[in-house]
Amino acid sequence: MALVNEHFLKLPGSYLFSDIAKKVNAFKVTHPGKNLIRLGIGDVTRPLPPVCIEAMHRAVDEMANAKTFRGYGPEQGYDFLIEAIIKHDFASRGISLSPSEIFISDGAKSDTGNIGELLRWDNSMGITDPVYPVYVDSNIMCGRSGTLDENGKWSNVTYLPCTEENNFIPELPKHRVDLIYLCYPNNPTGTTLTHEQLKKWVDYALSNDTLIIFDAAYEAFIQEPNVPHSIYEIRGAKKVAIEIRSFSKTAGFTGVRCGYTVIPKEVTAASLDGQRIPLNPLWNRRQCTKFNGTSYITQRGAEAIYTPDGQKQIKETINYYMENARIMREGLKKAGFSVYGGINAPYIWLKVPEGMTSWKFFDQLLYEVNIVSTPGVGFGPSGEGYLRLTAFGQREECQEAMQRLQNWI
Amino acid sequence: MALVNEHFLKLPGSYLFSDIAKKVNAFKVTHPGKNLIRLGIGDVTRPLPPVCIEAMHRAVDEMANAKTFRGYGPEQGYDFLIEAIIKHDFASRGISLSPSEIFISDGAKSDTGNIGELLRWDNSMGITDPVYPVYVDSNIMCGRSGTLDENGKWSNVTYLPCTEENNFIPELPKHRVDLIYLCYPNNPTGTTLTHEQLKKWVDYALSNDTLIIFDAAYEAFIQEPNVPHSIYEIRGAKKVAIEIRSFSKTAGFTGVRCGYTVIPKEVTAASLDGQRIPLNPLWNRRQCTKFNGTSYITQRGAEAIYTPDGQKQIKETINYYMENARIMREGLKKAGFSVYGGINAPYIWLKVPEGMTSWKFFDQLLYEVNIVSTPGVGFGPSGEGYLRLTAFGQREECQEAMQRLQNWI
């Protein structure tokens, strides 16, 4: 008989956002007349930039004609997109990358989930806490996380708490770990690391031979100077870091699906006999075997983001969301809350009232002011006592939500 | 230090089709004036059906407007597409499936490559030989294939030869295996199983508690009656089989990326303590964690295939390719070759002249008649002595290729 991968059976029954969806549906059934404002899931609401629409229409037309039709594309992505990425996202910041170091994908979630395949199942890992659930869940699936203890922590995972007490800046692990996930600007706390703070991590990785998976999905929201846009702005990072990017939030691609992963040629892991194995060709082999490239139409849409008009258009949308964030930060402060994030990220991290749990306050917001949020504990043990709100909503709804909260308090 | 997944190091250096591409490029550099005819890689050449083009234009326009914009879709795919699939591909053949048994993906290659994650790494596996390389390669990556011996066979893989001697109908394994991959209509041999022949496999799986991964990517090319379109046409298959489908060849989606996987609720694998674990919720959890849905635009394109116009349009294209196959079969026979397949599949499997190897004859075709093929041994040890040609080319090129072969012989 076929035996099941027993690690899957250790997983919590459902994904955080499905639990929230169930609660919201139950509320809607029992309160049909109520006008819900959704500030929970991190999905965008503004339409795609016009340049992307035009580029995708052109690409669709190419597919209608045998002369311009495109079949299988390169599993690694088309050169036209890779070259635009290198030029705009890296060369402009003094980072030199070659085309074969970039892998276009159908989104950062796929890459974040699959990248662990390159490593042995028994590497130790570290995560900042709270964190995007995919980092831990994808590692549970291959047995790397170990077993779950009664405090909701996995035995082979080192948790690096990010709380009000340390201003959401994680401390370096006390013992070494093989693998660490960092996400900056951070989901869910909305906080960032300065150049100096990120340098500590790269230095840690260099001296401990640790591999960093750097998730930069929210890079486009950075407003302040001295916040690195790429980990490769830090000297030495090319030896120890894989960087994952996404067009989902940058340009509204959550439903179109495109992202990319950077694996510099210098990044290696060790074999059991101590050889250094470059990870770039291994990821290439993985993608060539288990992936068949991203839709041509999508890649043409993504390419358009890098035109001067595209850059202007995405900036407008990002400004729209960041103005939402400003309104929410001020509204929440006025209502008496302690708020974090929302300056270089579309997420606002809110302290729940003393003595309450995340889920309790989530329920209260849902039932008393009809606002959907995300309970912080869903992102990890140190998220308990916090709540995430996103700035991706409609302006009027953000304003209305703040009004409701101020009246309610 | 991070340790690499040592199984990746066992992989052959490159994917079959990259090796071919290198040889072809070398030829082009040394023979710049020659007109190459490509009958090697299984990529389509006809444009997308007009209904798909129209549907995708409409979907792109929806993304341009905040009122109709779509962000994250369901990881499992949109209901509109799932319902069309159930109605046309299954209910019409008397197969009853529920929407939660269908998972839309970005293509059959992704699903075929990833499905093994649900099972323990040490399950034994069987494959028909020759076979689509992804089945073996994806299992090498997680250690399931074991080690490679000097005959090019993996220690934990049971090879079921399909050759002229057994009319390309694999025998049942002599000992039981936990997991078996079947692809019908077959890539690369182009042959099929009848209802009675496939029933033997389902019965084998039922009595041996074996899980079948049934790859039906070429289902749309079936012309003859008594060739099952779905494994679920066989009684009992819902307990033992996962079926994977693709729109790549059916509707020219190789560059657009869409397919789907069926996991009936009854399909289970065992846990070490003997419990039966349904695989459907496990795959759902996998997809929700490591995948974020297929492009909305792509899914609207795929939905259009199922309209009456869509069905008419894909039939025309399939007829075009199958007429290519007929021309090629007849031309090859006239040139004195033994040919198989090409009746219910877009692939023709050709016996190479006595005493030659697949690669030798591949080179000869490339250099002497300037035709690109795929050497059979690239698909497995029993593919030695054969060559695969595909019917996806332009009509004139297929005719010209046959003329060249007849003149050459």
Side-chain angles (χ1 to χ4, degrees), chain B residues 164 168 189 328-329 331-341 348-354 361 385-387 389:
Chain B
E164 217 179 10
F168 304 96
T189 69
M328 290 165 67
R329 276 176 59 87
L332 290 162
K333 279 185 185 168
K334 212 179 271 180
F337 289 104
S338 299
V339 294
Y340 303 94
I348 289 175
W349 193 240
L350 181 75
K351 202 154 188 226
V352 310
E354 204 56 42
F361 194 57
Y386 297 88
L387 211 73
L389 295 179

Side-chain angles (χ1 to χ4, degrees), chain A residues 1-5 43 48 57 61 63 72 75 109 117-118 120 123 176 178 209 255 270 288 296, chain B residues 1-5 43 48 57 61 63 72 75 109 114 117-118 120 123 176 178 209 255 270 288 296:
Chain A
M1 65 202 163
L3 288 175
V4 78
N5 173 351
D43 197 5
L48 290 185
H57 275 309
D61 281 334
M63 301 300 261
Y72 289 124
E75 284 97 344
K109 192 179 174 190
E117 283 183 37
L118 303 188
R120 269 178 70 95
N123 283 287
R176 67 166 300 288
D178 298 320
D209 200 357
C288 288
Y296 172 68
Chain B
M1 64 200 160
L3 287 173
V4 77
N5 172 352
D43 197 4
L48 289 187
H57 275 311
D61 281 334
M63 301 299 262
Y72 288 125
E75 284 98 344
K109 191 178 177 194
N114 293 324
E117 283 183 36
L118 303 189
R120 268 177 71 95
N123 283 286
R176 66 167 299 289
D178 298 319
D209 200 356
C288 288
Y296 171 69

Side-chain angles (χ1 to χ4, degrees), chain A residues 57-69:
Chain A
H57 275 309
R58 281 195 302 273
V60 170
D61 281 334
E62 286 180 58
M63 301 300 261
N65 186 318
K67 287 212 175 66
T68 50
F69 175 79

Side-chain angles (χ1 to χ4, degrees), chain A residues 111-293:
Chain A
D111 288 355
T112 310
N114 293 324
I115 196 82
E117 283 183 37
L118 303 188
L119 303 170
R120 269 178 70 95
W121 68 275
D122 55 359
N123 283 287
S124 62
M125 59 178 279
I127 52 159
T128 59
D129 171 29
V131 82
Y132 179 44
V134 168
Y135 307 155
V136 176
D137 287 1
S138 62
N139 281 293
I140 297 172
M141 289 178 176
C142 68
R144 194 175 290 126
S145 303
T147 50
L148 189 64
D149 72 17
E150 64 275 20
N151 305 315
K153 294 189 176 182
W154 293 86
S155 57
N156 198 32
V157 177
T158 298
Y159 291 78
L160 306 167
C162 298
T163 61
E164 217 179 10
E165 286 71 44
N166 61 11
N167 215 11
F168 303 96
I169 309 298
E171 277 182 44
L172 296 173
K174 301 226 182 331
H175 51 95
R176 67 166 300 288
V177 292
D178 298 320
L179 172 66
I180 195 142
Y181 289 83
L182 294 177
C183 171
Y184 286 98
N186 188 252
N187 174 17
T189 67
T191 58
T192 50
L193 296 184
T194 62
H195 193 281
E196 294 68 35
Q197 287 162 342
L198 185 57
K199 185 174 180 307
K200 281 188 194 161
W201 283 95
V202 172
D203 290 345
Y204 169 87
L206 286 165
S207 39
N208 288 278
D209 200 357
T210 297
L211 178 68
I212 297 176
I213 311 291
F214 189 75
D215 180 348
Y218 303 96
E219 168 273 334
F221 294 85
I222 296 171
Q223 310 287 319
E224 295 182 319
N226 199 28
V227 175
H229 288 247
S230 165
I231 195 166
Y232 305 119
E233 292 179 39
I234 315 293
R235 188 188 298 265
K238 272 187 173 188
K239 280 197 187 135
V240 290
I242 290 172
E243 181 164 304
I244 299 177
R245 296 269 191 117
S246 167
F247 297 108
S248 284
K249 313 299 163 73
T250 306
F253 271 45
T254 52
V256 179
R257 314 304 314 138
C258 199
Y260 66 88
T261 286
V262 185
I263 310 192
K265 294 279 167 66
E266 299 94 314
V267 176
T268 60
S271 64
L272 280 177
D273 60 4
Q275 276 187 285
R276 301 305 305 198
I277 312 289
L279 294 181
N280 179 294
L282 263 51
W283 185 245
N284 186 53
R285 194 64 165 80
R286 192 268 168 208
Q287 292 297 81
C288 288
T289 303
K290 300 194 184 184
F291 182 63
N292 228 338

Side-chain angles (χ1 to χ4, degrees), chain B residues 81-147:
Chain B
L81 178 54
I82 292 176
E83 281 161 16
I85 287 169
I86 290 181
K87 186 172 162 209
H88 289 85
D89 290 348
F90 297 100
S92 68
R93 300 187 186 280
I95 300 161
S96 139
L97 289 171
S98 79
S100 59
E101 293 175 306
I102 310 270
F103 297 87
I104 309 296
S105 73
D106 70 328
K109 191 178 177 194
S110 306
D111 287 355
T112 309
N114 293 324
I115 195 82
E117 283 183 36
L118 303 189
L119 303 170
R120 268 177 71 95
W121 69 275
D122 55 359
N123 283 286
S124 62
M125 59 176 281
I127 51 158
T128 59
D129 169 30
V131 83
Y132 178 46
V134 169
Y135 306 155
V136 176
D137 287 1
S138 62
N139 281 291
I140 297 171
M141 289 178 177
C142 68
R144 195 176 288 127
S145 303
T147 52

Side-chain angles (χ1 to χ4, degrees), chain B residues 42 44 59 66 75 79 96 146 172 192-193 201 218 242 262 301 325 355 409:
Chain B
V44 297
E75 284 98 344
D79 283 342
S96 139
L172 296 173
T192 49
L193 296 184
W201 283 94
Y218 302 96
I242 289 172
V262 185
I409 290 287

